[in-house]
Amino acid sequence: DKAVVLAKWFREIMAKNNFPVERMEYVPPAISYLDEPVRPLPSLQFNHKDSIKLIFVGRIDPIKDLQLLLRAFNDLPEDKIELSIYGKPLDPSYYDQCRKLAEENENVHWRGTFAREELMTIFRQHDMLCLPSALSEMSPLVIQEAFGARIPVLASGVLGNEELINHNQNGLLFSFKSQEGLFQQLRRLIDEPKLLMSLKNGVVLPLPFEEVVRKYLEIYNFEVRRENQNEPVRLRPETAEEINDYSRYIESISSHE
């Protein structure tokens, strides 16, 4: 049997723990909704038309380390850069601390949550996603969502982020839990006028959902042939409907946080 891994770094860890390399297949997470119709929304309100507009999306809890981002933001000029925060508070105490950190910052905008159909519209009204994660994640879907909207990502240098982001190409990385490192990368966006556009041009769209489905089916068909010398059941999809019928399985192993 095959084990499908969603990140190359995790495949390496499994190999170091004596899981047979030949039994592993790397398939990136699938996002089925990037090509869905987007819901029109009013333009977001910002304080300065020409400011750099960052977005944070995720749970408001210590694992996502929003406080690190807010502390770094305190030393940046408010007319040059602004931050939109989207997320559901899970820890009321932590959320209150975050609000207090930003209470004097007019360039920080608390925008609540949004529906999935609004995701692309909201992302495209920003210049860059910021992901200051305090822990490694397998392969953060929010990074691929940002790439789907053609915006680069500024993130902490943890395993899942490092695999998807090429520093100075499609995003920026800073040292794990380093407020100074994060501040320096934010400062670069302000001080290097051509940097942001260069990063945007370096973004590559994620694999189409249909292509990821085909990879799973190829693995399955190969295993069927290996186990059964008779002609395997034909599972390769040829129409959009057949692919969509298989989508529930793929989404069951990929969750958006």
Side-chain angles (χ1 to χ4, degrees), residues 21-251:
V21 175
E22 65 274 10
R23 287 180 55 196
M24 290 186 283
E25 292 284 348
Y26 164 69
V27 182
I31 302 178
S32 63
Y33 46 86
L34 289 183
D35 294 326
E36 290 180 358
V38 297
R39 179 181 298 175
L41 293 172
S43 297
L44 296 172
Q45 296 300 307
F46 292 96
N47 297 335
H48 301 278
K49 179 181 177 182
D50 297 326
S51 63
I52 297 168
K53 296 163 179 65
L54 302 186
I55 180 172
F56 169 93
V57 176
R59 304 186 308 273
I60 300 179
D61 67 9
I63 290 176
K64 298 298 184 180
D65 213 355
L66 177 59
Q67 286 190 11
L68 184 75
L69 176 57
L70 293 173
R71 286 194 295 269
F73 239 73
N74 283 337
D75 297 321
L76 296 170
E78 293 187 2
D79 62 327
K80 298 294 185 181
I81 192 165
E82 300 187 58
L83 172 66
S84 294
I85 298 173
Y86 287 91
K88 183 178 181 179
L90 297 187
D91 181 338
S93 176
Y94 183 83
Y95 176 70
D96 290 343
Q97 293 171 25
C98 290
R99 292 298 298 243
K100 187 173 182 179
L101 274 174
E103 63 185 357
E104 296 183 6
N105 291 20
E106 294 186 1
N107 59 340
V108 175
H109 310 282
W110 299 86
R111 303 196 189 273
T113 59
F114 55 80
R116 192 182 78 179
E117 296 79 12
E118 300 170 340
L119 184 147
M120 287 293 111
T121 301
I122 289 172
F123 269 39
R124 288 167 183 160
Q125 295 188 54
H126 295 85
D127 297 305
M128 195 170 202
L129 169 71
C130 194
L131 189 64
S133 308
L135 293 175
S136 293
E137 299 180 59
M138 180 69 70
S139 182
L141 288 182
V142 70
I143 294 179
Q144 296 200 51
E145 290 169 343
F147 290 164
R150 296 187 178 275
I151 65 172
V153 181
L154 167 59
S156 56
V158 295
L159 292 172
N161 297 345
E162 287 182 326
E163 183 167 309
L164 297 174
I165 298 168
N166 295 316
H167 185 62
N168 288 327
Q169 181 175 330
N170 60 359
L172 300 171
L173 293 166
F174 64 92
S175 298
F176 177 58
K177 287 190 174 182
S178 172
Q179 180 179 328
E180 178 61 23
L182 174 54
F183 173 79
Q184 291 300 329
Q185 297 305 321
L186 291 168
R187 189 73 237 186
R188 286 184 64 199
L189 294 172
I190 297 171
D191 295 341
E192 302 176 33
K194 296 181 180 180
L195 176 60
L196 186 57
M197 184 54 66
S198 174
L199 297 174
K200 288 182 178 181
N201 290 337
V203 170
V204 176
L205 292 175
L207 279 179
F209 181 71
E210 293 80 5
E211 180 61 28
V212 176
V213 170
R214 289 190 179 96
K215 287 180 180 292
Y216 274 95
L217 292 174
E218 286 171 4
I219 294 169
Y220 184 89
N221 275 330
F222 177 83
E223 290 302 304
V224 169
R225 292 188 183 98
R226 186 174 65 84
E227 295 293 335
N228 183 359
Q229 296 303 313
N230 297 327
E231 187 67 21
V233 177
R234 178 184 166 278
L235 289 175
R236 181 180 298 279
E238 293 187 350
T239 69
E241 270 186 57
E242 290 175 327
I243 290 172
N244 288 335
D245 286 342
Y246 196 68
S247 66
R248 284 175 296 179
Y249 170 71
I250 303 301
E251 290 189 344

